[in-house]
Amino acid sequence: MDLVKFVEEQAVVKNEIPAFKAGDTISVHYKIREGNKERVQVYQGAVIQLNSEGTNATFTVRKISNGVGVERIFPVNSPNIDKIEINSYGKVRRAKLFYLRGLTGKAARIRSKRIK
């Protein structure tokens, strides 16, 4: 099993991403290929979970689009992620924010953390 992890660590190119956690609002600049053209699309929303560690790590970002909640899972080491910007730090008490799926409007807000 250690041999598999060793090969994965060597094969995957690691992205330099900022430190964020559940509750933070981030903007993910993601490369989209349409035919032979490539463009960068910005996906902005709240991080609701960080999953796994190492080469298989992922994070889930949730946003509200036209009144409908949309979640997208991004692999941390994806070559299609151009950059990640942190817009605000959230103050939450849980690591997985699945309860946001059932909330709407003002109830779905995440308090921002004061940075000293």
Side-chain angles (χ1 to χ4, degrees):
M1 208 48 132
D2 294 333
L3 185 62
V4 173
K5 288 183 182 179
F6 177 75
V7 171
E8 283 181 351
E9 295 286 334
Q10 299 300 323
V12 174
V13 177
K14 298 192 180 201
N15 289 344
E16 291 294 324
I17 62 167
F20 59 88
K21 58 186 181 71
D24 296 346
T25 303
I26 63 171
S27 297
V28 181
H29 297 257
Y30 200 74
K31 295 177 190 170
I32 305 279
R33 286 190 187 88
E34 295 172 337
N36 57 359
K37 289 190 259 180
E38 185 176 290
R39 65 183 176 89
V40 175
Q41 185 178 36
V42 179
Y43 192 89
Q44 181 178 353
V47 177
I48 63 168
Q49 76 169 337
L50 294 169
N51 198 4
S52 187
E53 290 182 1
T55 58
N56 298 330
T58 61
F59 59 96
T60 305
V61 180
R62 178 179 174 84
K63 74 174 184 176
I64 305 297
S65 179
N66 296 325
V68 178
V70 179
E71 293 180 7
R72 187 157 179 194
I73 300 170
F74 294 98
V76 171
N77 294 316
S78 172
N80 292 330
I81 293 179
D82 193 30
K83 67 178 176 177
I84 298 174
E85 295 176 345
I86 299 176
N87 300 333
S88 67
Y89 295 95
K91 182 179 179 184
V92 293
R93 300 173 83 179
R94 296 178 184 268
K96 313 276 188 194
L97 304 179
F98 298 135
Y99 66 88
L100 289 177
R101 293 173 178 163
L103 301 178
T104 57
K106 284 188 174 182
R109 285 183 299 183
I110 297 174
R111 274 193 263 144
S112 65
K113 187 188 299 185
R114 294 182 190 257
I115 300 173
K116 298 176 184 175

